[in-house]
Amino acid sequence: MKLVTAVIKPHKWEDVREALEAFGVTGMTVSEVSGYGRQKGHTEVYRGAEYDVALVPKIRIEIVVDDQDAEEVVEIVVKSAQTGRIGDGKVWLSPIDSVVRVRTGARDVEAL
Amino acid sequence: MKLVTAVIKPHKWEDVREALEAFGVTGMTVSEVSGYGRQKGHTEVYRGAEYDVALVPKIRIEIVVDDQDAEEVVEIVVKSAQTGRIGDGKVWLSPIDSVVRVRTGARDVEAL
Amino acid sequence: MKLVTAVIKPHKWEDVREALEAFGVTGMTVSEVSGYGRQKGHTEVYRGAEYDVALVPKIRIEIVVDDQDAEEVVEIVVKSAQTGRIGDGKVWLSPIDSVVRVRTGARDVEAL
Ligand SMILES: Nc1ncnc2c1ncn2[C@@H]1O[C@H](COP(=O)(O)OP(=O)(O)OP(=O)(O)O)[C@@H](O)[C@H]1O
Ligand SMILES: Nc1ncnc2c1ncn2[C@@H]1O[C@H](COP(=O)(O)OP(=O)(O)OP(=O)(O)O)[C@@H](O)[C@H]1O
Ligand SMILES: Nc1ncnc2c1ncn2[C@@H]1O[C@H](COP(=O)(O)OP(=O)(O)OP(=O)(O)O)[C@@H](O)[C@H]1O
Ligand SMILES: [Mg+2]
Ligand SMILES: [Mg+2]
Ligand SMILES: [Mg+2]
């Protein structure tokens, strides 16, 4: 199993969710986070000067998926979260050993 | 080392925490998240129709544990978070390379 | 690629961020969490008695880094978050398969 973690712009959340659902993703976990990337949270890069970091609000999405879907889910999130402007976010993929549905105890693919 | 991540119903948090403590877990990290599973956050499944997703509040728990305890900790969380009704949550297990206690620099089993 | 996750005291966040920037870290994701460790959130250990757990507010930082920087980034976070008093936090390192910059589709080291 794999875990896809995405940090995206809040206003793109609906687009990402719809794209994932069209693909067949059955669930996800969402949280409010903040962060910064190469521009330190500013809309322009001021080279050579020291500027404070601004934490920009983002949405963090976690999706547990089957191995065979993992790469495609990453691509779907990237495509649907893209605006082409700075701060669009990051998506990372990590290994997980197993997942359990709490209600039934079902494991792995049966737990999704 | 392993990381156990659990997304559970908020009102089950106390039960889960007590069960983990009885086992000997010494710490955990908790956050407020929301999410949905197969029923898209609704209490009934309306097949064949398109319905909006409702994000349901959940509690996310992260527990770093020694490899030899990992499977048992997963089982304890699953058992103690179970109500038998939909939306009970998911628990997943992932590999971690190492953990450090910030105060002392102690690593891995000594850091727990 | 690696993911460094740190749970630290909120008032140490600026120090940690500055130390990471001095090293060359280009971005991070931050969230508000709470938790407890060996003292169950209390400032003293009352041995042998049963006490309730107190959830103490902490800051959770996630930093995706290149493999070759991972150990040094862990050390920098540990050093800069340290006060020497209980509750200073935990830092853990986990493997990730890949990371993508959403705006450009760049991957792994090019995505940072
Ligand atoms: N190395 C990183 N580790 C963890 N999270 C990161 C990292 N870099 C960025 N993020 C998260 O992703 C969010 C968006 O980053 P952002 O898209 O600005 O990255 P970027 O590399 O600066 O790309 P761009 O040039 O397109 O802005 C940040 O607010 C932060 O939450
Ligand atoms: N694939 C997933 N990836 C990440 N988080 C998920 C996933 N599926 C569910 N979750 C999280 O777990 C919470 C509870 O899910 P839920 O228990 O409803 O799963 P389910 O598969 O629908 O099981 P049930 O049929 O028992 O309701 C969701 O609100 C969401 O936060
Ligand atoms: N095993 C664990 N798994 C996940 N998070 C943990 C764990 N232990 C502690 N934490 C997180 O780290 C925070 C700080 O823990 P803390 O520094 O008190 O650990 P400790 O082992 O008790 O060390 P100290 O003796 O220095 O207090 C907790 O509030 C919690 O969020
Ligand atoms: Mg940026
Ligand atoms: Mg459900
Ligand atoms: Mg402690």
Side-chain angles (χ1 to χ4, degrees), chain A residues 3 5 13-14 16-18 20-21 24-32 60 62-64 94-112, chain B residues 2 5 7-8 32-40 50-53 55 60 62 71 74-75 77-79 81-95:
Chain A
L3 174 67
T5 303
W13 144 249
E14 272 297 316
V16 172
R17 200 262 302 155
E18 278 170 24
L20 287 170
E21 231 161 285
V25 162
T26 52
M28 66 186 68
T29 297
V30 177
S31 52
E32 294 180 6
R60 186 178 188 276
E62 287 170 287
I63 317 151
V64 178
S94 34
I96 67 176
D97 297 340
S98 59
V99 57
V100 187
R101 172 180 289 122
V102 169
R103 178 173 59 89
T104 62
R107 289 203 160 231
D108 299 337
V109 185
E110 274 74 49
L112 297 183
Chain B
K2 297 284 181 187
T5 303
V7 180
I8 64 164
E32 293 179 7
V33 299
S34 59
Y36 67 92
R38 301 196 74 91
Q39 299 83 13
K40 304 189 181 185
E50 290 286 292
Y51 279 88
D52 230 34
V53 157
L55 286 175
R60 185 178 187 276
E62 288 169 287
E71 271 301 328
V74 168
E75 284 309 317
V77 175
V78 169
K79 292 263 154 61
Q82 228 167 42
T83 69
R85 287 185 293 278
I86 58 170
D88 271 354
K90 304 274 185 198
V91 182
W92 60 88
L93 185 66
S94 34

Side-chain angles (χ1 to χ4, degrees), chain C residues 87-102:
Chain C
D88 271 354
K90 303 275 185 197
V91 182
W92 61 88
L93 186 65
S94 35
I96 67 176
D97 297 339
S98 59
V99 58
V100 187
R101 172 181 288 122
V102 170

Side-chain angles (χ1 to χ4, degrees), chain A residues 2 34 38 60 82 90 93, chain C residues 30 62 97 100 102 111-112:
Chain A
K2 297 284 182 187
S34 60
R38 301 195 73 90
R60 186 178 188 276
Q82 230 168 42
K90 304 273 185 198
L93 185 66
Chain C
V30 176
E62 287 169 287
D97 297 339
V100 187
V102 170
L112 297 184

Side-chain angles (χ1 to χ4, degrees), chain C residues 27-86:
Chain C
M28 66 185 67
T29 297
V30 176
S31 52
E32 293 179 7
V33 300
S34 59
Y36 68 92
R38 300 195 74 90
Q39 298 83 14
K40 303 191 180 182
H42 299 286
T43 48
E44 296 166 34
V45 190
Y46 305 96
R47 285 208 223 138
E50 289 286 291
Y51 281 85
D52 230 33
V53 157
L55 286 174
V56 182
K58 301 283 172 190
I59 294 290
R60 185 178 187 276
I61 307 175
E62 287 169 287
I63 316 152
V64 178
V65 294
D66 191 26
D67 291 278
Q68 65 186 47
D69 293 331
E71 272 300 328
E72 201 165 346
V73 168
V74 168
E75 284 308 317
I76 289 166
V77 174
V78 169
K79 292 263 153 62
S80 58
Q82 229 168 42
T83 69
R85 287 185 293 279
I86 59 170

